[in-house]
Amino acid sequence: MKFKIDNVSNYLKTNDIKPSYQRVKIFEYLIKHRNHPTVDMIYKELALEIPTLSKTTVYNTLKLFVEKNIVIVINIEDNETRYDADTSFHGHFKCRHCNEIYDFKVEMPFIKDLDGFEVNEYHFYLKGICKGCK
Amino acid sequence: MKFKIDNVSNYLKTNDIKPSYQRVKIFEYLIKHRNHPTVDMIYKELALEIPTLSKTTVYNTLKLFVEKNIVIVINIEDNETRYDADTSFHGHFKCRHCNEIYDFKVEMPFIKDLDGFEVNEYHFYLKGICKGCK
DNA sequence: GTATCTGCAAAACATTTGCAATTCT
DNA sequence: AGAATTGCAAATGTTTTGCAGATAC
């Protein structure tokens, strides 16, 4: 995990994001849980302490975080978009039994056939059964 | 590319799929175009020669192909599911300018942290700008 | 006081479901 | 005829959009 953020508000400012109450809470959720949540997971939990929170705000905020490159999108499943505040290169494994997503370290592989291409994003996804579910 | 299929009907039979007219046409589309299409792309083109074709059939058929392991799902983008009849391990690069998806060869990387996990699916996705769009 | 941000309601899409009609053997 | 397949229409679920009210500087 690349980060150790003790002041979320400052971290957002550093990345050109005005730290509203909702934005701070949403980012805190991401770095506290590190569970690669869906919009719905974030919304359901934060709505408990922020009763006025709307899903639109969660969508808006995550979109902003992605634009500012402090959050990446995980498209490991076709019916749910997940988010990760760890933007360093690492792989994601999804267990199709417990649906948990695990991070794993992986060396950047050597890529053929893409001479002259400009690559900005790398995603390495695995699926299977995790140790605990076997 | 792993395959050289000269008789789609037999290929489907070999994989335990009854070769209906629609199924053969859809699989032929996949191996002829090799453009990692969305459901909509397949539907729009095939509807020209099969006026009665429905999108539901395209969805049903692709789902069946995926279950029978002759087609894989590509989730490189969160708002569109794409399909590929080449089930061998290879990477996918999406150009965010022309939206084209390119195949590329890549060595299977060495994975740490997943001892005891059973891995069944591997997906390696890159995004950026392709040679032609630079 | 002006910009921005939030959140409701509606709209837009992609995908799935239920079921009746069609096709195949 | 019986079983499987197709395709329409409706339902579902997720994400986006438009806009009005709230908040921040």
Side-chain angles (χ1 to χ4, degrees):
Chain A
M1 211 46 93
K2 97 178 192 208
F3 43 58
K4 175 154 294 206
I5 298 165
D6 34 44
N7 188 321
V8 169
S9 195
N10 281 342
Y11 183 71
L12 295 183
K13 277 182 203 160
T14 305
N15 287 280
D16 194 29
I17 296 167
K18 286 185 191 154
S20 75
Y21 180 68
Q22 288 86 342
R23 289 170 178 174
V24 170
K25 284 292 187 183
I26 291 168
F27 197 79
E28 278 176 356
Y29 178 100
L30 287 167
I31 60 175
K32 185 173 155 201
H33 294 79
R34 297 184 180 196
N35 56 347
H36 317 87
T38 61
V39 163
D40 203 59
M41 288 162 72
I42 299 171
Y43 172 74
K44 282 219 174 77
E45 174 146 341
L46 291 185
L48 297 174
E49 35 170 339
I50 316 170
T52 59
L53 184 67
S54 83
K55 250 187 200 180
T56 301
T57 297
V58 182
Y59 276 108
N60 287 341
T61 302
L62 289 170
K63 191 180 177 188
L64 178 66
F65 288 171
V66 171
E67 279 167 13
K68 299 297 186 185
N69 297 309
I70 64 169
V71 162
I72 57 169
V73 171
I74 302 175
N75 284 319
I76 199 166
E77 211 67 76
D78 54 358
N79 55 351
E80 58 177 27
T81 302
R82 287 167 169 267
Y83 298 89
D84 190 349
D86 180 1
T87 57
S88 65
F89 178 65
H90 62 287
H92 292 110
F93 173 97
K94 175 160 181 179
C95 174
R96 58 181 153 70
H97 187 259
C98 66
N99 292 321
E100 190 83 13
I101 293 184
Y102 297 84
D103 289 316
F104 61 89
K105 285 199 201 77
V106 59
E107 302 288 342
M108 180 68 75
F110 176 68
I111 294 151
K112 301 161 199 162
D113 308 333
L114 292 182
D115 289 341
F117 284 51
E118 176 188 324
V119 182
N120 310 117
E121 280 185 52
Y122 300 82
H123 302 276
F124 192 41
Y125 300 140
L126 308 184
K127 297 190 197 182
I129 305 289
C130 75
K131 201 171 183 173
C133 287
K134 284 191 74 177
Chain B
M1 214 43 95
K2 99 179 190 207
F3 44 59
K4 175 154 294 208
I5 298 166
D6 33 45
N7 187 321
V8 168
S9 194
N10 282 342
Y11 182 72
L12 296 182
K13 277 182 201 160
T14 305
N15 286 281
D16 195 29
I17 296 167
K18 286 186 190 151
S20 76
Y21 180 68
Q22 288 85 343
R23 288 171 179 173
V24 169
K25 284 293 187 182
I26 291 169
F27 197 79
E28 278 176 356
Y29 178 101
L30 287 167
I31 59 175
K32 187 174 154 199
H33 294 79
R34 297 183 180 196
N35 56 348
H36 318 88
T38 60
V39 163
D40 204 57
M41 288 162 73
I42 299 171
Y43 172 74
K44 283 219 175 77
E45 174 147 340
L46 291 184
L48 297 175
E49 32 170 341
I50 316 171
T52 59
L53 184 68
S54 84
K55 249 187 201 180
T56 302
T57 297
V58 181
Y59 276 108
N60 287 342
T61 301
L62 289 170
K63 190 179 179 190
L64 179 67
F65 288 170
V66 171
E67 279 166 14
K68 299 297 186 183
N69 299 307
I70 62 168
V71 162
I72 57 169
V73 172
I74 301 175
N75 283 321
I76 200 167
E77 210 67 76
D78 55 357
N79 56 351
E80 59 176 25
T81 302
R82 286 168 170 264
Y83 298 89
D84 191 349
D86 180 1
T87 58
S88 65
F89 177 66
H90 63 285
H92 292 111
F93 172 97
K94 176 160 179 178
C95 174
R96 58 182 153 69
H97 186 259
C98 65
N99 293 321
E100 191 84 13
I101 293 184
Y102 297 84
D103 290 316
F104 62 89
K105 287 201 201 78
V106 59
E107 302 289 340
M108 178 69 74
F110 177 67
I111 295 152
K112 302 161 196 158
D113 308 334
L114 292 182
D115 288 341
F117 284 51
E118 175 189 325
V119 182
N120 309 118
E121 279 185 52
Y122 300 81
H123 302 275
F124 193 41
Y125 300 140
L126 307 184
K127 296 191 198 182
I129 304 288
C130 75
K131 201 172 185 173
C133 287
K134 284 191 76 177

